Amino acid sequence: MSSTPKILLFGKNGQVGWELQRSLSPLGELVAVDYDSTDLCGDFTNLQGLAKNIQTLQPNIIVNAAAYTAVDKAESEPELARNINALAPGVLAHEAKKLGALLVHYSTDYVFDGSGSKPWKETDATGPLSVYGKTKLEGEQLIVENCPNHLIFRTSWVYAARGNNFAKTILRLAEERERLTVIDDQTGAPTGADLLADVTAHAIRSVFTNPQTNPKLAGLYHVVANGQTSWHGYAKFVIEHALRAGVPLITTLDAIVPVLTSAFPTAAKRPHNSCLNTNKLQSAFGLSLPHWQQGVARMLNEII
């Protein structure tokens, strides 16, 4: 980078935020906060506090890894979800524009209705099925309206070795049960928080080292690992990897039974097709994204 920017990161203790602290640190002066930070406001229900925080720090780059992600709970807390996922990012965008700062934000495949089987492109029509999806889409729209210098990264099926994730749940259940039932009619690409963080750092570096191409690079991108699977396929990969590693499990590969989404009723409706097309990202930033199995295997080696 030609100069040393000041980077303000929100949501530092989440899965993606934790990895971003690692990937962003070499790029400049990093100030990282979370909702419970005492010295600086990272509480996304305190819109005035967020604005004041940005005005005081005057960062060159704002990275928002904070979000309301309790998909089912959002159905009964729509205003709280909207405040955190839409209104707060809108404030970040407004303040970023005043400073001429770059705003980086993360969104989700839940902005789509999950129909069809083709991976979704950035230009495809949205149609969220849930409060979570609707609030994330509104957050995108407020950023686009208020801050032209932005990077919005839509992703899906995010996991990390740190904290809870699908693989850890499957492994725990496989130690307790002889038979598992796992949804097989939802497809997507398990995507590591570390991959998201590394792509983010690469994109930020590209924007700041090539200011003349900055307007062309700003915009909306899909970021997921390569390939696709179902939750059932994901579970089988996890169990197979664990068995090869010598983990004592009760569940065998043959005892992982595929079922429909309707077998597990939830408050929020999930998209069946969560596959995202990443051609735009790979072309714009010269990237080749790894297959989902690579990242999951690395994560499993870390937690097993």
Side-chain angles (χ1 to χ4, degrees):
M1 287 184 163
S2 54
S3 59
T4 304
K6 180 182 285 186
I7 306 168
L8 174 58
L9 169 64
F10 289 103
K12 70 172 185 176
N13 291 326
Q15 288 186 324
V16 178
W18 185 261
E19 291 290 343
L20 282 167
Q21 291 186 73
R22 168 191 57 79
S23 70
L24 297 181
S25 292
L27 303 186
E29 178 190 346
L30 179 63
V31 179
V33 299
D34 214 300
Y35 70 93
D36 56 356
S37 296
T38 54
D39 49 343
L40 293 167
C41 179
D43 180 358
F44 272 41
T45 64
N46 182 358
L47 302 184
Q48 288 184 327
L50 290 176
K52 185 177 180 183
N53 189 8
I54 294 169
Q55 292 162 9
T56 300
L57 286 172
Q58 296 195 338
N60 306 101
I61 303 164
I62 301 169
V63 181
N64 176 31
Y68 182 110
T69 56
V71 175
D72 291 316
K73 199 174 180 182
E75 296 296 312
S76 58
E77 294 182 338
E79 289 306 313
L80 179 59
R82 181 172 185 253
N83 216 77
I84 295 172
N85 288 343
L87 301 185
V91 169
L92 303 190
H94 183 75
E95 296 301 326
K97 183 179 181 181
K98 288 197 293 186
L99 291 172
L102 169 67
L103 175 60
V104 182
H105 178 76
Y106 301 91
S107 192
T108 172
D109 64 284
Y110 276 63
V111 301
F112 297 112
D113 65 10
S115 61
S117 58
K118 289 184 178 179
W120 297 98
K121 295 181 180 179
E122 290 84 352
T123 51
D124 287 334
T126 53
L129 304 172
S130 62
V131 167
Y132 169 70
K134 290 172 184 174
T135 60
K136 291 297 289 183
L137 179 59
E138 185 182 358
E140 289 185 14
Q141 293 165 341
L142 288 171
I143 289 171
V144 172
E145 290 169 12
N146 289 286
C147 181
N149 192 20
H150 65 261
L151 290 169
I152 298 173
F153 295 129
R154 285 185 189 144
T155 190
S156 69
W157 293 25
V158 178
Y159 66 84
R162 182 178 179 271
N164 296 320
N165 64 41
F166 175 78
K168 287 183 179 179
T169 300
I170 288 296
L171 289 174
R172 175 176 54 79
L173 293 174
E175 291 174 345
E176 303 168 355
R177 304 178 186 178
E178 292 184 357
R179 181 177 180 271
L180 298 180
T181 54
V182 186
I183 290 170
D184 196 37
D185 61 345
Q186 294 177 26
T187 55
T191 301
D194 54 348
L195 175 61
L196 282 173
D198 289 341
V199 168
T200 299
H202 177 79
I204 289 174
R205 188 182 291 110
S206 297
V207 169
F208 268 77
T209 53
N210 299 291
Q212 70 276 10
T213 62
N214 190 353
K216 295 180 183 178
L217 289 175
L220 169 67
Y221 296 92
H222 289 171
V223 188
V224 289
N226 198 7
Q228 64 184 60
T229 188
S230 66
W231 291 111
H232 178 259
Y234 189 0
K236 287 194 74 171
F237 180 83
V238 169
I239 297 297
E240 186 176 14
H241 189 94
L243 289 172
R244 281 204 310 267
V247 178
L249 302 176
I250 298 174
T251 306
T252 63
L253 281 175
D254 294 337
I256 307 171
V257 182
V259 296
L260 299 178
T261 298
S262 55
F264 293 98
T266 55
K269 193 174 181 182
R270 265 73 172 168
H272 285 277
N273 175 18
S274 292
C275 301
L276 300 177
N277 184 309
T278 61
N279 288 344
K280 179 183 175 184
L281 175 96
Q282 296 189 73
S283 175
F285 295 105
L287 291 171
S288 179
L289 297 172
H291 203 282
W292 68 266
Q293 282 124 320
Q294 286 182 243
V296 172
R298 187 169 62 248
M299 179 265 293
L300 289 171
N301 290 335
E302 189 174 336
I303 67 174
I304 287 175

